[in-house]
Amino acid sequence: LWLWGNLMPAVTYNHVPTVEQSERGAPSISVATPVAAFGGATAAATTGLGDQTQAVGTELFTRALAMQQLTNETNAKNANVDFMLKAGDLHAKYNALQGQDRVAAYGDYSKNLQALYKSTRDSLGNPMAQQMFDGAAISTLNRSIFSAAGAAATAQREAAQSSAVSTQAVLEKSVYDSNDPSGLEAAKDQIRNNAPGLAATMPGGATPEKVTQLTQDGVSRLNRNYILGIVRTD
């Protein structure tokens, strides 16, 4: 027993417990947990949802814009057709006039045509459709006004020429009927006074050569009729 007790190692007893860190450290625990268990799948699925929603919104906006564009074009074309038809009626009534009546009606025709253009344009609901309408309608408006102005000028020229011809005929008959030398000279003065205005209605305008020619022709016809009148009575 003595021998056994001497051979066993002595252990000092400590009544205070101690905790010391192991060299190996805390045990490692690994748990295989899928991302979906914590909503990862939902997050992954909704990650591109914003982009998709934006793409759908852009597509809807593009389609709506295209549909509105088509509506504007259709409304503008229909309005332009209506404007052209009504403008044609105004132009036909204006062209049916003759001479000074057409000249006098030009101002009202121009005002009525512009009022028709404005009322037709205002019937379109938005500026884009109105702008599309303007593209063709303004061209129609300008052509109609220019054409009417030319027709008025032509009518005025024809009226002046017709008046000059009528005046010449009246003077020739008066000197033929009267056999009055003083009446003949008065008629010649009137021919001379009318020659510049008559020349102005002809191509090239009232050149001195044309005025002289018209005066000589008018005076010659007066002399002829005066002589024929004398022969008739004497």
Side-chain angles (χ1 to χ4, degrees):
L1 291 173
W2 177 87
L3 180 60
W4 177 260
N6 290 329
L7 292 175
M8 290 296 293
V11 179
T12 305
Y13 172 72
N14 187 358
H15 66 277
V16 180
T18 62
V19 178
E20 297 179 359
Q21 183 177 2
S22 171
E23 294 180 358
R24 296 178 59 187
S28 175
I29 299 175
S30 176
V31 179
T33 305
V35 177
F38 292 91
T42 303
T46 58
T47 298
L49 184 60
D51 294 338
Q52 295 176 5
T53 303
Q54 182 178 2
V56 171
T58 301
E59 177 66 18
L60 290 176
F61 176 77
T62 301
R63 289 178 180 269
L65 187 63
M67 292 178 64
Q68 184 60 46
Q69 179 81 359
L70 182 60
T71 299
N72 290 338
E73 291 178 357
T74 301
N75 291 340
K77 288 179 181 178
N78 290 337
N80 187 57
V81 170
D82 183 62
F83 172 68
M84 291 178 66
L85 291 174
K86 293 178 180 179
D89 290 340
L90 289 176
H91 202 71
K93 292 177 181 178
Y94 173 76
N95 280 338
L97 301 174
Q98 299 292 329
Q100 291 297 329
D101 291 337
R102 183 187 294 179
V103 176
Y106 172 73
D108 288 339
Y109 166 78
S110 178
K111 292 179 181 178
N112 292 337
L113 188 64
Q114 293 183 62
L116 174 63
Y117 159 78
K118 185 178 184 304
S119 63
T120 306
R121 188 181 192 275
D122 291 343
S123 68
L124 296 170
N126 60 78
M128 183 59 68
Q130 292 175 345
Q131 185 176 0
M132 293 177 180
F133 169 75
D134 286 341
I138 290 180
S139 178
T140 300
L141 178 67
N142 289 339
R143 287 199 309 270
S144 298
I145 290 178
F146 287 147
S147 176
T154 299
Q156 189 170 25
R157 181 172 61 251
E158 291 174 348
Q161 291 175 350
S162 176
S163 175
V165 170
S166 298
T167 299
Q168 179 77 35
V170 170
L171 293 175
E172 290 175 4
K173 188 175 187 308
S174 67
V175 298
Y176 176 83
D177 292 337
S178 66
N179 296 333
D180 181 9
S182 61
L184 174 62
E185 294 304 318
K188 290 180 181 181
D189 289 339
Q190 191 168 352
I191 290 296
R192 296 185 184 97
N193 292 333
N194 291 341
L198 179 59
T201 66
M202 297 180 175
T207 62
E209 295 80 8
K210 187 175 296 181
V211 171
T212 299
Q213 181 182 355
L214 290 174
T215 301
Q216 291 176 349
D217 290 344
V219 169
S220 296
R221 286 195 296 270
L222 288 178
N223 289 330
R224 173 181 179 275
N225 279 269
Y226 179 75
I227 293 171
L228 291 176
I230 294 176
V231 170
R232 178 179 55 103
T233 59
D234 187 357

